[in-house]
Amino acid sequence: MRSDNVKKGDQAAPARSLFNALGYTKEELSRPMIGIVSSFNEIVPGHMNIDKIVDAVKLGVAEAGGTPVVFPAIAVCDGIAMGHIGMKYSLVTRDLIADSTECMAIAHQFDGLVMVPNCDKNVPGLLMAAARLNIPTVFVSGGPMLAGRVHGKKTSLSSMFEAVGAKAAGKIDEAELDYYDEHACPTCGSCSGMYTANSMNCLTEAIGMGLKGNGTIPAVYSERIRLAKHAGMAVMDMINKDIRPRDIMTEKAFMNALTVDMALGCSTNTMLHLPAIAHEAGVPLDMEIANEVSARTPNLCHLAPAGRTYMEDLNEAGGIYAVMNELSKKDLLNLDCMTVTGQTVGQNIKDALNRNEDVIRPIDNPYSPNGGIAVLKGNIAPDTGIVKRSAVAPEMMVHSGPARVFDCEEDAISAILGGKINPGDVVVIRYEGPKGGPGMREMLNPTSAIAGMGLGETVALITDGRFSGASRGASIGHVSPEAAVGGPIALIKEGDIIKVDIPNQALNVEVSDEELAERRKNWTPREPRVTTGYLARYEKMVTSANRGAILEVK
């Protein structure tokens, strides 16, 4: 056992004295030591129940013959950080989480890990750590929130943000806005639509690192406590069988994750996180392959914000295994991939039933024959631009309009809420990429304001920043190269005609190559917005969005 390095022999005597100080018995120190990475905190609604999950994991580990040891991981609530400087500190925590978990796991020589994340950057950060450490690891999340109820209809956080736009447009009053904010988010858990947190927790199942139900069992269900106990037992089984994350997170497994991503209509943020996780696992994953996967993968689910179903509905319909079983009917998955259950994907999903064909469309009757995400390219985005195709109104799949150019999110929000954006416009928000932000802020506020003001079917938005999974509409993010490094998005001028053609995967500004070259001669890099602290270090090391915004030493 790895932990023997800190438990056995004369050289480990000082360490043993410290274990004695912690109250560990000789019996406990004779067993495998399992680190339980707890993301519990009192600021993220998706994490307020994680202490209960952790307690259940500890019981499962102990019952299966291990010694559980809890240590923490941080997490930012994107909803609370949204729309101000705090959002610059969201994506960047993904690397802090991976790094700090690596430090704790190696310093203390754990034999296995159970990761207990839930919200946006917490899940990919811990998946990155699992791939990097490559010791037996199981994931069990805190689970999704139940949908809210507003005037008898299910709703979620995205409705809350759109209500702000509706009030600005005079469509609702202060009392109605107050009613929304008291009823949109009724329980603990990750926000109830197919947003980034739930997307990543679902893909953790698809890639094989989480047990059945990890992505969909609601946070408040006792079933999740049982799941957590089984996760504790599962990691002990993995130790006995010597199954490690890199045995699971193979190239075929990442293709499974991309395929399930397309079927579910996940958040565009998965296009940042999957390459970063794959990088840690030593698997090359170029996001240009996403269109190829999308072309062969039907979109089977329209969860909020794309539709009117929620995570609780997906759970009742059979969850991720039911979606995967549908995909397997057309040989769209690699069924021989190993998982944390000790069985293959095919063995896991063979008996899964689709219990509601309105929530999970049968493979022969999909919402669309193509997947939920598209990668766009063109003279604005020579590398990539990412759009959640399944959440775009049909009339906006092809759109041409004048550019309305803003060099930061705040200026764009002021213009949108000030009534200065007109039907047909294309809002351009730049210098918000990984380097330019720094931190690549999500743009849920502007997209929701556009939708709430009734412009969602007439206005497009493009940015080198990114979007929340709660965003809907013709919202194209991850434009690479970003403005801060001289990408063409930096050269767009007010009034330039921009053409969005999602079916043909194209994003272009109707300006000649010669004119763009002339503009480039007059372009100068902007001074960094942040010059001290973690963000300044991050800005110097971060790569572009099309590479997953991974960190590299130059």
Side-chain angles (χ1 to χ4, degrees), residues 29-293:
L29 294 180
S30 70
R31 303 166 189 155
M33 292 187 66
I34 308 301
I36 301 174
V37 187
S38 171
S39 303
F40 171 76
N41 64 47
E42 296 183 342
I43 190 65
V44 185
H47 290 234
M48 65 178 285
N49 65 319
I50 279 179
D51 56 340
K52 308 295 188 300
I53 303 296
V54 167
D55 286 345
V57 172
K58 290 172 69 176
L59 286 171
V61 168
E63 186 173 336
T67 298
V69 184
V70 179
F71 65 90
I74 64 168
V76 163
C77 178
D78 279 21
I80 295 173
M82 196 74 66
H84 55 88
I85 191 173
M87 182 44 67
K88 293 178 186 286
Y89 287 86
S90 171
L91 177 60
V92 304
T93 64
R94 187 184 70 181
D95 296 276
L96 282 175
I97 291 162
D99 292 348
S100 60
T101 302
E102 174 193 359
C103 292
M104 289 293 289
I106 294 179
H108 302 105
Q109 293 290 286
F110 291 113
D111 299 299
L113 296 169
V114 179
M115 308 292 200
V116 191
N118 210 24
C119 291
D120 295 19
K121 311 311 163 301
N122 200 236
V123 184
L126 290 177
L127 281 165
M128 288 165 67
R132 190 185 299 176
L133 290 161
N134 201 34
I135 59 176
T137 302
V138 177
F139 277 68
V140 55
S141 75
M145 185 183 291
L146 294 178
R149 299 292 193 280
V150 173
H151 303 306
K153 294 182 179 179
K154 288 184 178 181
T155 191
S156 61
L157 182 67
S158 54
S159 301
M160 190 65 248
F161 278 89
E162 290 179 18
V164 175
K167 182 175 182 295
K171 295 183 177 184
I172 64 173
D173 59 17
E174 186 75 31
E176 180 71 354
L177 185 64
D178 287 346
Y179 182 81
Y180 265 85
D181 72 45
E182 290 172 1
H183 294 88
C185 299
T187 71
C188 62
S190 48
C191 298
S192 56
M194 188 54 78
Y195 309 151
T196 305
N198 291 326
S199 295
M200 290 307 305
N201 281 323
C202 290
L203 294 188
T204 300
E205 278 191 67
I207 209 168
M209 289 297 292
L211 301 177
K212 179 184 178 182
N214 178 67
T216 59
I217 297 170
V220 295
Y221 284 12
S222 297
E223 185 181 357
R224 185 154 289 276
I225 299 297
R226 299 197 298 273
L227 179 73
K229 291 176 183 176
H230 284 132
M233 298 174 194
V235 75
M236 296 303 299
D237 186 54
M238 289 179 73
I239 289 172
N240 292 333
K241 294 177 178 176
D242 195 27
I243 299 173
R244 298 167 183 265
R246 291 195 184 192
D247 300 325
I248 296 168
M249 289 193 275
T250 62
E251 186 172 357
K252 287 183 177 181
F254 281 102
M255 294 307 296
N256 281 349
L258 270 175
T259 301
V260 174
D261 190 331
M262 296 299 172
L264 288 173
C266 288
S267 164
T268 53
N269 279 314
T270 61
M271 298 294 105
L272 272 180
H273 300 321
L274 287 176
I277 298 160
H279 173 75
E280 296 290 354
V283 174
L285 187 63
D286 189 332
M287 277 301 95
E288 290 192 26
I289 202 172
N291 283 337
E292 180 184 322
V293 176

